Amino acid sequence: MSETMTGAEMVIRTLQDQGVEHLFGYPGGAVLPIYDALFHQDQVKHILVRHEQGAVHAAEGYARSSGKVGVVLVTSGPGATNAVTGLTDALMDSIPIVCITGQVPTHLIGSDAFQECDTVGITRHCTKHNYLVKSIDDLPRILHEAFYVASTGRPGPVVVDLPKDIQFKTGPYTRPTNNQHKTYRPTVKGDMDKIRAAIELMANAKRPVFYTGGGVINSGPHASALLRELARLTGFPVTSTLMGLGAYPAADPQFLGMLGMHGTYESNLAMHECDVMINIGARFDDRITGRLDAFSPFSKRIHVDIDPSSINKNVKVDIPIIGDCAHVLEDMVRLWRQTAPQVDKVALKEWWSKIDGWRGRNCLAYRPSDQTIKPQYAVQRLYELTKDRETFVTTEVGQHQMWAAQYFRFEEPNHWMTSGGLGTMGYGLPAAIGTQLAHPKALVVDIAGEASILMNMQEMSTAVQYRLPVKVFILNNEYMGMVRQWQELLHGGRYSESYSQSLPDFVKLAEAYGGVGIRCDKPGDLDAAILEMINVDRPVIFDCVVDKTENCFPMIPSGKAHNEMLLNDYLGEAGTDIGSVIDEKGKMLV
């Protein structure tokens, strides 16, 4: 049964019908009718951010940690353009977002009216889909369809650009019984013939490896459970991309750690040496593959992905399977159990022996200090002191992000929120705010750098206003650390504009916002300071002063292959220089 209401009221009713609990936004003239409709209800809670980029990142954190669609409301012109970075970030990392943007009245579109921009044109390449609403009669369908498109198939951001006159017009509102887009029908079930071929290839593998990505997490907890079951059934080693951390438990002995530019020695060399690669929900990003002509040169490749455009885009594969990870993994598990293939146990044992040799090199070892806090040590202590409680971690982007991925061990999916594809500085604090709203009783920590955190520091006001006890854990080395590291290793130590001057006193800054500031610069004081941070029921900025010149290793230099890693000059007792295990042709000798 339909009701007559304004376009603005239709927006709010749609959010209610979709079960939206939190809306991240910033008001402006072109969306004031929607804000007026918002005022007359209490079902959807609006979270007032301090910048539209922060709104989208907060919605990303909310969506990534909860599995729900994140919803954003911004005004026209600069409100929409400020959201573009967040929308691009969500597109790259497959995060479901519905972003409603105000627009000037339809009769003014194209006239360079005040706060007008071509939002549809600007966002065409940074969204999964976008709409310009031209008729009140289309609005209910478009709004509900936006949620369907954002959340199905490969998730992503959808923009609904809504002119102000449409918000004032009245029309019939009926919740559609079918929200599907007329031309968008993502394939969910994988082709069974290809899945059987994949199982046969896996059964005959001598040196197999699972390469898992964010698609496993996007597919839901069931996909992660099925991945774990398949790994146990096969006995194969498992690696993960940055976005896939938590899909497979870090503590499991079959887990080799993160793969790629700052991945572990054993993970990257397993990828280089494997004969069968099973890619589940990853897109062969350049930070994973390194030099394409030298990527995993000995392997047959299976690729499971719900996005057909990801198949054979970067890396040619032997068995492409288009489908949702959970559905395909379910079929793989069932077929493996049914066929009970006889794997080559001798070959698999030899493969694990080789992997254990690589593990023995202890690639994440670092030179300890009792005078200066090492950033790796800071993350390790943070993990140890929070691992027994429900903890969600967001990050900014840089060295601290990679150290967090290396040293904070994730056992469950949806507890790790980071900007992977776009690498957006300023992501972590607003993402932590969204995560905290989705999980009000959990501990939420943004592991940050002192440069990145300043990109969206204004969102501390949002955290304080809504009494969200997010913790910002800054690894402060007074440099744009990853930029400095590249300049040291690849640009002759010429540190062009990579150090931070005139940094604020983060303790005073926290207090100025109404939060709590903590500073620590001695290893012996670190545990007590972290516990103080955890126990404060308010937003905290923790200024952890760390070694200024520590680099993040292992590292595959840009344009190099997996077996051309740079390792730390300190590898502990088990460490060995990489040159001793690679011959002149780059072939592993271990």
Side-chain angles (χ1 to χ4, degrees):
M1 184 175 178
S2 65
E3 296 180 59
T4 299
M5 59 182 72
T6 68
E9 291 169 336
M10 289 180 186
V11 171
I12 303 305
R13 178 62 66 84
T14 298
L15 300 186
Q16 293 171 343
D17 287 348
Q18 287 288 340
V20 174
E21 296 175 338
H22 294 97
L23 171 65
F24 302 92
Y26 200 96
V31 286
L32 286 184
I34 299 174
Y35 274 89
D36 192 54
L38 192 64
F39 184 83
H40 294 287
Q41 59 85 56
D42 57 9
Q43 190 172 331
V44 178
K45 184 175 182 180
H46 181 271
I47 305 300
L48 178 65
V49 297
R50 271 46 177 182
H51 191 285
E52 291 88 352
Q53 180 184 345
V56 186
H57 292 328
E60 286 186 273
Y62 185 91
R64 180 78 172 171
S65 65
S66 68
K68 301 175 183 178
V69 176
V71 187
V72 176
L73 175 61
V74 299
T75 195
S76 65
T81 58
N82 281 347
V84 164
T85 296
L87 292 170
T88 310
D89 191 273
L91 181 70
M92 293 284 279
D93 287 344
S94 306
I95 310 298
I97 300 291
V98 170
C99 180
I100 300 166
T101 59
Q103 184 55 276
V104 300
T106 52
H107 68 278
L108 291 179
I109 292 176
S111 70
D112 293 331
F114 177 68
Q115 290 194 332
E116 180 195 359
C117 72
D118 179 9
T119 300
V120 168
I122 290 169
T123 63
R124 181 168 288 121
H125 297 290
C126 65
T127 57
K128 185 177 177 183
H129 194 56
N130 62 16
Y131 303 84
L132 172 61
V133 183
K134 298 179 180 178
S135 169
I136 187 69
D137 295 331
D138 294 332
L139 184 56
R141 172 188 60 81
I142 287 174
L143 289 168
H144 285 283
E145 195 174 276
F147 279 86
Y148 169 78
V149 173
S151 59
T152 57
R154 179 180 176 181
V158 176
V159 162
V160 179
D161 198 32
L162 186 53
K164 192 169 184 178
D165 59 320
I166 303 295
Q167 298 172 41
F168 280 120
K169 286 184 179 179
T170 58
Y173 174 86
T174 302
R175 181 174 182 176
T177 55
N178 184 355
N179 299 330
Q180 293 183 356
H181 190 279
K182 60 184 177 182
T183 61
Y184 177 59
R185 297 285 191 276
T187 300
V188 175
K189 294 286 289 183
D191 183 291
M192 285 306 301
D193 288 338
K194 291 182 178 178
I195 294 174
R196 290 188 187 94
I199 292 296
E200 182 178 357
L201 184 60
M202 291 163 59
N204 291 309
K206 310 291 185 185
R207 303 184 308 279
V209 66
F210 282 110
Y211 158 28
T212 63
V216 179
I217 292 174
N218 287 339
S219 190
H222 187 50
S224 295
L226 288 165
L227 172 64
R228 298 169 190 218
E229 185 175 0
L230 185 59
R232 284 193 297 270
L233 286 171
T234 59
F236 295 175
V238 182
T239 69
S240 172
T241 67
L242 179 73
M243 296 302 295
L245 293 175
Y248 196 84
D252 192 285
Q254 286 176 242
F255 188 61
L256 306 187
M258 185 175 69
L259 182 69
M261 180 171 281
H262 292 286
T264 64
Y265 186 62
E266 54 269 28
S267 181
N268 282 325
L269 293 187
M271 181 64 85
H272 182 77
E273 284 287 287
C274 71
D275 69 340
V276 173
M277 173 205 306
I278 310 104
N279 179 335
I280 311 288
R283 58 186 177 87
F284 291 109
D285 175 75
D286 63 288
R287 289 294 174 109
I288 296 299
T289 62
R291 200 175 86 234
L292 278 174
D293 63 355
F295 173 66
S296 195
F298 314 111
S299 67
K300 296 287 187 180
R301 298 154 186 171
I302 300 163
H303 188 188
V304 178
D305 204 298
I306 199 165
D307 182 4
S309 71
S310 291
I311 302 291
N312 290 323
K313 180 170 69 175
N314 298 326
V315 171
K316 298 297 182 183
V317 298
D318 299 278
I319 304 177
I321 303 172
I322 299 170
D324 179 78
C325 289
H327 286 82
V328 175
L329 283 167
E330 189 170 35
D331 287 333
M332 283 182 159
V333 168
R334 178 174 50 80
L335 283 176
W336 192 275
R337 288 188 179 278
Q338 285 178 355
T339 58
Q342 298 299 310
V343 298
D344 188 334
K345 293 182 179 179
V346 173
L348 193 59
K349 184 177 179 181
E350 290 177 354
W351 179 227
W352 272 111
S353 178
K354 189 177 232 185
I355 289 170
D356 288 340
W358 295 330
R359 273 178 167 166
R361 300 188 184 282
N362 198 12
C363 70
L364 296 180
Y366 55 91
R367 185 171 279 102
S369 172
D370 58 3
Q371 300 298 317
T372 304
I373 299 175
K374 294 289 186 175
Q376 304 95 320
Y377 178 74
V379 176
Q380 285 179 315
R381 295 315 303 157
L382 179 65
Y383 168 72
E384 290 296 334
L385 295 169
T386 60
K387 66 181 181 181
D388 293 329
R389 58 188 299 163
E390 187 175 24
T391 303
F392 293 81
V393 173
T394 70
T395 75
E396 308 294 332
V397 168
Q399 284 179 320
H400 62 274
Q401 176 190 29
M402 295 298 106
W403 283 317
Q406 290 173 336
Y407 295 95
F408 204 102
R409 301 168 67 80
F410 297 95
E411 304 298 320
E412 298 295 334
N414 303 103
H415 285 64
W416 164 248
M417 278 61 65
T418 195
S419 174
L422 194 62
T424 307
M425 294 173 71
Y427 169 90
L429 175 53
I433 287 170
T435 302
Q436 190 76 76
L437 282 161
H439 305 276
K441 295 183 179 180
L443 174 66
V444 180
V445 182
D446 171 28
I447 299 178
E450 82 291 334
S452 266
I453 190 62
L454 293 176
M455 289 280 190
N456 275 316
M457 178 56 84
Q458 75 282 344
E459 299 309 328
M460 273 297 289
S461 285
T462 304
V464 170
Q465 177 180 344
Y466 295 100
R467 297 174 181 168
L468 301 171
V470 297
K471 320 299 184 187
V472 179
F473 189 74
I474 300 173
L475 302 182
N476 187 349
N477 59 12
E478 298 182 5
Y479 275 100
M480 299 174 202
M482 193 61 82
V483 173
R484 183 205 59 75
Q485 176 170 334
W486 280 50
Q487 288 174 334
E488 176 187 327
L489 299 176
L490 306 175
H491 296 276
R494 295 179 291 278
Y495 302 131
S496 177
E497 302 298 329
S498 59
Y499 58 94
S500 304
Q501 290 185 312
S502 300
L503 286 170
D505 181 325
F506 285 108
V507 172
K508 290 181 179 179
L509 185 60
E511 293 169 351
Y513 276 113
V516 175
I518 300 172
R519 188 174 190 272
C520 183
D521 59 4
K522 293 182 175 58
D525 298 336
L526 186 57
D527 279 19
I530 290 174
L531 289 172
E532 180 186 356
M533 176 189 77
I534 293 169
N535 292 326
V536 172
D537 191 28
R538 290 163 63 193
V540 175
I541 298 178
F542 188 115
D543 187 12
C544 185
V545 181
V546 300
D547 190 319
K548 292 178 173 55
T549 59
E550 193 75 7
N551 285 332
C552 184
F553 292 110
M555 175 183 173
I556 302 174
S558 182
K560 298 296 184 179
H562 277 180
N563 62 333
E564 297 177 292
M565 282 172 285
L566 300 177
L567 298 184
N568 200 331
D569 60 2
Y570 178 84
L571 292 177
E573 294 181 2
T576 302
D577 181 78
I578 191 169
S580 65
V581 293
I582 301 177
D583 71 7
E584 67 279 0
K585 295 181 180 179
K587 172 71 175 172
M588 292 305 305
L589 300 178
V590 175

